[in-house]
Each structure stands twice: as C-alpha cells, then as structure tokens.
Amino acid sequence: MLSSSRKVTVIGGGSWATALVKILAENPGTKVNWWLRDKKDVEHIKRHHYNPSYLSDVYINPKRVTPYESLTSALKGTEYVVLAIPAAFVKDPFSGISGKIFEKKQVISAVKGLLPDDHLLVTDWLARDFSVSKENLSAIGGPCHAEEVALGKQSYLTIASHSLESAAKVASILTCRFVSAGASDDLYGVEYAAVMKNIIAMACGITHGLGYGDNFQAVLVSNAMSEIEHFLNAVDPRPRQLSASAYLGDLLVTAYSQFSRNRLFGNMIGRGYSVAAAQLEMKMIAEGYYAARSIHRINLRHGVPMPISEMVYQVIYENVPPATAVEALKKALH
Ligand SMILES: NC(=O)c1ccc[n+]([C@@H]2O[C@H](COP(=O)([O-])OP(=O)(O)OC[C@H]3O[C@@H](n4cnc5c(N)ncnc54)[C@H](O)[C@@H]3O)[C@@H](O)[C@H]2O)c1
Ligand SMILES: O=P(O)(O)OC[C@H](O)CO
C-alpha cells in the first residue's frame, strides 16, 4: 500500500469501474476522479454515495472520490487514467477530443476485449491514436469479478506493461487490504489471454446450456489452455508461465464463476436463446461476443488450430446450431 498522495481518473460507469473505484479509494493517499457517461448516475453518486446502476451496495467515499460528467475536468491534474469501458464503446468518450489528452499520464486499460472494428488491443489503440508511450501503458489482468470486490473478498490482480517498473508502480496503487496486485512485463500475453478466456467461458456456457456436465467442461478448459498457448505463441512469441493466475486463473474464474457474464451469455445460447434475445436479457456486456469475431479475423493471418473459439464463432456469427457445432467440436477434443 502507498502512503504518499496521488490522483487517479477512472473512466466508465459499469461494474468493473465501480469495483476499481472502490479498490483505489481504499488507500487514504489516493484521490479518485470518476467519469461516468450517465449524468443521472453522477448526480446520484454525489447525493447518495452509491452508483445506482451497478454494484449499488458499494459505498463511494465522497472524501476520496469525485464523480464527473465532464471528461476533460475529470482528467485535469491526474497522473493515472484507468479505462474501464467495454471495448466496443471505449472510443466513444474520446470522440472529438485532442490526441494530447493523455500526455504525461500513466494510462491503464482495465478492458478485457478487442476494439471490434479494428480488432486491436486497447493498449495498441492508445499507442496508435494518442501516442501513449510504452512506459506509460499498462493493462489490468487477473481473475477478479467486480461482484466479489464489492464484497471485499480477497482477490489478486496482475498489472502488465512492456515496462516492469511501470507495472509495479500501477500495481502499488491497486493494492489494498483485500487486493494483492503483482507486476508482469507480458503486456500482450496478459491482454490476449484475457480476451480469449471470455470466448472460452462462452463455450463453457454453451455446452452447459446444452446439458454437458462437469466431466466435459474439464476437458474443454484443459484443451482451451493449449488453444490459448498456441495463439499467444503465434501473436507474441516469448517464454511465459501460463499456469500464472493472469492466464490460467482468469480462464478458470470466468469458465466456472456464477458471476461470469460470458458464461451466462453462452449458457443462454446453449439453452436456445437467439443471440439477439440473449443480448436483450443481459444488462451487462459479454466481451466474448465481440472477441469471437476479432480473434477469428486475427487468426486468419496465423492459422492456429482453435476449435473451441471457432465453435463459438460458428454459433454466434454463422448461425450454426449450438448442438451441431459442439458435436463437431467433440472430435477435436482429447
Ligand atoms: N465486471 C467484471 O467483473 C470485470 C472484471 C475485469 C474486467 N472487466 C472488463 O471491464 C470492462 C468493462 O466491463 P464492465 O463489467 O464494467 O461492464 P458492465 O457490463 O458492468 O457495464 C457496461 C458499461 O458499458 C457502458 N455502455 C453500455 N452500452 C454503452 C454504449 N452503447 N455506449 C457507451 N457505453 C456503453 C455502460 O455505461 C457501462 O459503463 C470490460 O472489458 C470487462 O471485460 C470486467
Ligand atoms: O464476468 P466476465 O465473464 O465478464 O469476466 C469478468 C472478469 O474478466 C473475470 O476475471
């Protein structure tokens, strides 16, 4: 935990943004500027100290957290900026805003998705469109559901950056009495693994919804780990220990947790919902929906055999009935 003071801006009004605000505000030396898209939410938090839309039991300490509806005001004078908006919408708050907005700031992506139009990692987009330097870029990984943060349950995060020093600095602001944050220099590996585990969790949901049991899911998840390994080796080859919690741990929590949006989304598809009906039913965003298409596109360049991710792609984007797609997948598992 840090003792000196610092200012952090959190951008996003969903469950993960709310959980990150709670974590950051645990440290007495941290002042949080919190930007939310919805003006009504900003007003409600100012008046009642709770986010009415997500994790509405989490107390927002007004001595440490100031909600904003103006993005430029929220960014004024801060050293750290955390982006916690689903990848499909992460560009929206910045349209028409100067490319210098992040100058001299550490920019941290809490997003576990790819920009769906560009098939880009969020940190690559920040480098491309805002010229954020490698040392000022990092991403938050690790198995961590916002709902458990809300309950103050012990959790572990991994902060990844091309610069281990920057990762360690960011990890220190995200460490608190119930969160332990470590540092990694495998930025791409941690980001891509976080994107892929969402697709795999959808596969777990689909098969569970179809009536497959724990025996099948264990095989699915084991095979998924090899799929992730082969994909990472193709897009960013380097030594990495995939049993670390930022890779295997995040896959496991998303594949098995009652809180997983991606698993729930897949489960509805497996039970016979159409994609549109499942989206309507969910109040939250399942990143795997967009990621399945982006990973499919990226893999057209690499040709890595990825039968599980491909099964999800076929079901979501090619209208293949889930039972047919899983029947075909069974032959590829071992
Ligand atoms: N929730 C978690 O436990 C968790 C944990 C780790 C990482 N993440 C990642 O954090 C990111 C944010 O996810 P979340 O869980 O906070 O999302 P959420 O589903 O809880 O909230 C949705 C957010 O998207 C915004 N939104 C919805 N539709 C929009 C639109 N049309 N335009 C602009 N914004 C829109 C909402 O305002 C809200 O801020 C995702 O990449 C997710 O994978 C989430
Ligand atoms: O609820 P999910 O499926 O979006 O997963 C949330 C987190 O990424 C788990 O670490």
Side-chain angles (χ1 to χ4, degrees), residues 171-225:
S172 67
I173 67 166
L174 284 160
T175 294
C176 69
R177 74 190 156 86
F178 58 89
V179 173
S180 168
S184 158
D185 64 358
D186 183 20
L187 179 65
Y188 287 152
V190 167
E191 278 186 291
Y192 271 120
V195 170
M196 289 196 66
K197 62 84 185 171
N198 287 331
I199 307 173
I200 304 303
M202 280 178 61
C204 291
I206 290 172
T207 54
H208 187 260
L210 284 167
Y212 288 83
D214 293 349
N215 295 348
F216 186 81
Q217 183 169 332
V219 173
L220 191 68
V221 172
S222 313
N223 279 255
M225 209 54 229

Side-chain angles (χ1 to χ4, degrees), residues 110-303:
V111 183
K112 291 182 176 174
L114 292 163
L115 271 69
D117 300 332
D118 315 61
H119 314 302
L120 264 189
L121 290 171
V122 170
T123 56
D124 277 345
W125 165 66
L126 290 165
R128 187 191 73 183
D129 287 13
F130 295 96
S131 309
V132 182
S133 66
K134 282 187 168 185
E135 306 70 54
N136 284 343
L137 272 180
S138 53
I140 303 175
C144 196
H145 274 114
E147 291 79 359
E148 292 204 355
V149 170
L151 296 167
K153 289 194 184 267
Q154 180 64 41
S155 305
Y156 294 79
L157 297 173
T158 298
I159 313 307
S161 171
H162 293 303
S163 152
L164 200 53
E165 198 184 323
S166 303
K169 207 166 137 189
V170 174
S172 67
I173 67 166
L174 284 160
T175 294
C176 69
R177 74 190 156 86
F178 58 89
V179 173
S180 168
S184 158
D185 64 358
D186 183 20
L187 179 65
Y188 287 152
V190 167
E191 278 186 291
Y192 271 120
V195 170
M196 289 196 66
K197 62 84 185 171
N198 287 331
I199 307 173
I200 304 303
M202 280 178 61
C204 291
I206 290 172
T207 54
H208 187 260
L210 284 167
Y212 288 83
D214 293 349
N215 295 348
F216 186 81
Q217 183 169 332
V219 173
L220 191 68
V221 172
S222 313
N223 279 255
M225 209 54 229
S226 314
E227 193 162 311
I228 293 173
E229 181 181 6
H230 294 138
F231 183 77
L232 295 188
N233 285 342
V235 291
D236 185 37
R238 55 169 283 168
R240 45 174 70 89
Q241 196 190 340
L242 290 178
S243 59
S245 59
Y247 315 97
L248 177 61
D250 205 5
L251 172 66
L252 292 176
V253 83
T254 318
Y256 287 93
S257 173
Q258 54 166 324
F259 295 121
S260 168
R261 278 144 278 264
N262 289 287
R263 188 176 202 281
L264 176 65
F265 188 84
N267 194 262
M268 287 194 270
I269 303 290
R271 282 189 285 132
Y273 284 62
S274 67
V275 171
Q279 278 174 321
L280 268 181
E281 188 83 4
M282 291 235 335
K283 263 191 72 200
M284 293 179 283
I285 307 293
E287 286 280 16
Y289 165 76
Y290 305 98
R293 192 180 53 183
S294 287
I295 292 292
H296 170 84
R297 289 284 175 81
I298 293 169
N299 196 39
L300 291 177
R301 293 200 299 274
H302 299 286

Side-chain angles (χ1 to χ4, degrees), residues 16 47 50 69 82 91 121 193 207 281 309:
W16 193 219
R47 198 167 304 158
Y50 292 91
E69 57 186 77
V82 182
K91 281 180 172 178
L121 290 171
T207 54
E281 188 83 4
S309 308

